[in-house]
Amino acid sequence: ETGVTQTPRHLVMGMTNKKSLKCEQHLGHNAMYWYKQSAKKPLELMFVYNFKEQTENNSVPSRFSPECPNSSHLFLHLHTLQPEDSALYLCASSQDVQGLSNTEAFFGQGTRLTVV
Amino acid sequence: GQQVMQIPQYQHVQEGEDFTTYCNSSTTLSNIQWYKQRPGGHPVFLIQLVKSGEVKKQKRLTFQFGEAKKNSSLHITATQTTDVGTYFCAGPRNYGQNFVFGPGTRLSVLP
């Protein structure tokens, strides 16, 4: 629909599990983002990639590990998560990094993550 | 750092009533964007405002950027049930930096 596809849509994992979230954009954009959205906090920017290079890490715990093999794909590797990490994880992309170009962000439908 | 605040947090209106949400920044914004997120959905871009005092309209939606570029508003005339959702404003944390989102205003429309 939006040109940004996230898989899986839902994920339940134990605190000792390792899992990965995948994001793919078909818009030819250069910048990609990971956001966390929980009930108690507004959209939190986690990571920013521009031309495959990480340009921002907003003090995210190391149990979240991003990977951007090319401008179209973005992964978020998860390990030893805590129940408070349960949230909706949204991927987004924009033509260029938003702060520099003021372009709009296109969001994927998100992965609803539950840590048990 | 820069903070973006929105009021109200929640708003319940009867269908046909008007609705307004306000966005305030602690610092001057170079521009501001508005997004809408339907229940169970993802944020979708609505509009961007750049100029001081700018007003833009999309059918029943009117967006305004303050003269000092530190506040913005979204006004919906004659709400419909399709307007239900959370409306977010977003602005750059600092010049050239990535956007920070406000906490959003959740709109409920009673038929």
Side-chain angles (χ1 to χ4, degrees):
Chain A
E1 298 175 4
T2 66
V4 181
T5 304
Q6 288 187 245
T7 55
R9 294 290 306 277
H10 301 271
L11 177 63
V12 179
M13 61 184 289
M15 289 189 283
T16 59
N17 290 159
K18 290 184 179 181
K19 296 288 185 182
S20 295
L21 310 184
K22 179 182 177 182
C23 177
E24 182 175 3
Q25 57 98 357
H26 311 276
L27 302 169
H29 289 168
N30 300 317
M32 296 188 75
Y33 313 80
W34 279 116
Y35 284 88
K36 175 183 177 183
Q37 186 176 41
S38 58
K40 296 183 178 180
K41 290 186 176 182
L43 278 163
E44 298 176 80
L45 180 62
M46 300 174 71
F47 301 104
V48 180
Y49 278 83
N50 190 34
F51 290 100
K52 303 190 303 178
E53 300 298 320
Q54 188 180 123
T55 59
E56 190 162 338
N57 176 340
N58 281 314
S59 303
V60 180
S62 59
R63 57 185 183 269
F64 295 91
S65 175
E67 178 190 2
C68 189
N70 54 62
S71 293
S72 298
H73 293 85
L74 186 64
F75 295 89
L76 188 62
H77 303 300
L78 316 171
H79 63 99
T80 60
L81 294 193
Q82 304 298 313
E84 59 264 29
D85 296 321
S86 298
L88 180 68
Y89 289 85
L90 290 159
C91 173
S93 71
S94 61
Q95 184 60 56
D96 296 295
V97 171
Q98 278 197 304
L100 297 176
S101 64
N102 300 326
T103 56
E104 65 187 272
F106 292 79
F107 285 83
Q109 294 182 318
T111 295
R112 175 69 62 185
L113 173 68
T114 303
V115 181
V116 297
Chain B
Q2 182 248 11
Q3 290 185 329
V4 177
M5 296 154 285
Q6 281 185 257
I7 54 171
Q9 187 176 1
Y10 302 97
Q11 184 76 59
H12 305 277
V13 300
Q14 204 72 34
E15 189 173 20
E17 292 181 340
D18 291 356
F19 159 76
T20 304
T21 174
Y22 299 90
C23 178
N24 296 291
S25 170
S26 56
T27 59
T28 301
L29 299 169
S30 58
N31 62 336
I32 194 163
Q33 296 180 349
W34 285 91
Y35 291 79
K36 176 185 178 181
Q37 185 174 17
R38 294 180 185 274
H42 57 277
V44 175
F45 174 82
L46 293 176
I47 209 160
Q48 176 170 269
L49 304 171
V50 179
K51 299 177 181 177
S52 169
E54 187 172 15
V55 178
K56 287 188 177 181
K57 292 189 176 183
Q58 289 180 349
K59 298 183 180 179
R60 294 178 295 103
L61 276 61
T62 301
F63 303 84
Q64 188 166 5
F65 204 5
E67 293 291 339
K69 301 183 75 174
K70 295 181 71 174
N71 57 75
S72 181
S73 65
L74 159 58
H75 179 80
I76 302 178
T77 304
T79 55
Q80 300 175 0
T81 54
T82 53
D83 295 325
V84 166
T86 302
Y87 293 85
F88 296 96
C89 62
R93 183 177 289 107
N94 283 301
Y95 179 77
Q97 292 192 357
N98 287 296
F99 279 40
V100 59
F101 281 76
T105 295
R106 183 177 297 177
L107 173 64
S108 298
V109 179
L110 305 174

